[in-house]
Amino acid sequence: MASYRHRIAEGAVKDFPAIKRDYDGYRLMLDARALAGGCMYGERVDGGGASCAGDKYLDRYDDPIMRRLSALMLGIYEPFCALSPEERRVLALRYWRKLEVPDVAAELMFSNSTVYRHISRALGKLYRPVLDVQPLLEDWRMGALK
């Protein structure tokens, strides 16, 4: 049976593709909204002042939801990238391609026990970083970041 720590990290790893999809979709929406402004670069947006359409376009990612989605995505992905290549491959096959442990073992030419060991070690390493973004992850799961 998996420990509490492993279940926390496992949930975040399983949710990561959907989080990335939401992040990319929200970013595209912000890009489309910025491009739909229809202003030329040198044209004033506010009728004066120093703010022009180009500045508005560059500041589009200063959206609070975008910042939170970005923090959540990077809070999971950066620690994932710090894992060993074998641990990353095992997690990706197991949770993102949804393969069973024997299938992962066959794909990587590992024994089942080696796959379990890599999963356990990787989830143990991911627990602390995932715990740091847990409030954002819970908000995302509840739909507050979408």
Side-chain angles (χ1 to χ4, degrees), residues 58-100:
L58 292 174
D59 291 339
R60 72 191 178 279
Y61 296 138
D62 195 30
D63 181 82
I65 294 174
M66 184 66 181
R67 285 195 309 266
R68 294 177 79 197
L69 277 171
S70 179
L72 175 59
M73 189 189 66
L74 292 175
I76 297 170
Y77 189 67
E78 286 177 348
F80 175 81
C81 288
L83 297 173
S84 72
E86 294 85 12
E87 291 168 343
R88 286 195 311 265
R89 282 194 298 255
V90 166
L91 288 184
L93 290 172
R94 177 74 178 107
Y95 297 115
W96 297 344
R97 285 197 38 210
K98 297 179 172 78
L99 297 179
E100 295 298 323

